[in-house]
């Protein structure tokens, strides 16, 4: 986290994108609520969301909206231009999580000094990998249903 005395000024939000599996309406709602909450605290918001038909992209919400694909190349260009201090990955569904993890893996966040707020990338990766997730649950001495990966 940023130092407790350092106030956030600008946050990038990876939006809900196209309405398809992994990017459903609930992410549009939660993302729009995140934008509202940040603005109530005087924090500028930058949204990347290619879907003009979402609440998130309404002109009264985010300070700056980029109607660009949720892809590494485009998000990095927005980071370079906007210079946000932080990013939120958990308000855009599976695609936003994937792009956020890829940006982290490629060192984009580190290169541009962008902090991931909320769920850390490592935790996202731990929960995305089913085998690793089961191991983490077992480390906590919790029960987990027996499962097996299949291909057909």
């Amino acid at each position: 986290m940023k130092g407790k005395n350092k106030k956030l000024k600008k946050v990038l939000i990876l939006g809900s994108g196209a309405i398809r599996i992994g990017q459903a309406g609930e992410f549009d709602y939660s993302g729009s609520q995140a934008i509202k909450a940040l603005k109530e605290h005087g924090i500028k918001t930058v949204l990347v969301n290619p879907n003009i038909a979402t609440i998130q992209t309404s002109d009264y919400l985010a300070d700056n909206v980029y109607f660009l694909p949720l892809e590494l190349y485009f998000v990095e260009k927005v980071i370079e231009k906007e210079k946000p201090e932080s990013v939120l990955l958990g308000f855009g569904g599976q695609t936003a999580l994937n792009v956020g993890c890829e940006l982290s893996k490629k060192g984009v966040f580190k290169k541009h000094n962008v902090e991931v707020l909320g769920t850390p990338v490592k935790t996202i990766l731990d929960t995305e990998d089913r085998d690793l997730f089961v191991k983490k649950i077992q480390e906590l001495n919790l029960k987990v249903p027996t499962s097996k990966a299949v291909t057909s």
Side-chain angles (χ1 to χ4, degrees):
M1 267 327 267
K2 300 276 180 202
K4 291 195 187 277
N5 296 327
K6 185 170 182 175
K7 185 176 180 340
L8 291 174
K9 294 178 183 154
K10 189 185 284 189
V11 175
L12 173 67
I13 300 163
L14 300 186
S16 58
I19 303 301
R20 63 180 195 234
I21 295 172
Q23 297 177 316
E26 65 270 16
F27 295 110
D28 183 31
Y29 179 78
S30 66
S32 62
Q33 296 307 303
I35 293 167
K36 287 179 184 179
L38 291 166
K39 287 183 76 166
E40 283 177 12
H41 290 280
I43 299 168
K44 290 203 177 282
T45 55
V46 177
L47 173 69
V48 178
N49 188 333
N51 188 348
I52 62 170
T54 63
I55 295 169
Q56 287 180 9
T57 57
S58 298
D59 62 358
Y60 61 89
L61 282 177
D63 294 296
N64 293 318
V65 177
Y66 290 85
F67 294 104
L68 295 169
L70 287 170
E71 296 174 4
L72 183 130
Y73 173 81
F74 294 107
V75 175
E76 183 171 13
K77 292 298 179 193
V78 171
I79 290 171
E80 288 171 357
K81 181 179 181 196
E82 291 286 342
K83 300 180 181 6
E85 303 162 304
S86 306
V87 62
L88 287 168
L89 306 177
F91 297 97
Q94 191 63 53
T95 301
L97 291 175
N98 292 347
V99 171
C101 290
E102 190 177 2
L103 288 161
S104 179
K105 182 179 176 184
K106 301 272 184 186
V108 173
F109 293 147
K110 187 173 185 177
K111 174 182 174 185
H112 297 285
N113 198 29
V114 175
E115 178 187 13
V116 176
L117 298 176
T119 306
V121 172
K122 177 163 179 8
T123 302
I124 294 169
L125 293 171
D126 286 349
T127 57
E128 292 288 314
D129 181 315
R130 301 301 178 226
D131 291 331
L132 191 52
F133 180 72
V134 168
K135 287 177 186 166
K136 294 286 182 185
I137 295 295
Q138 290 171 337
E139 285 174 13
L140 297 170
N141 292 320
L142 298 172
K143 293 180 181 180
V144 63
T146 303
S147 62
K148 177 173 135 176
V150 296
T151 58
S152 67

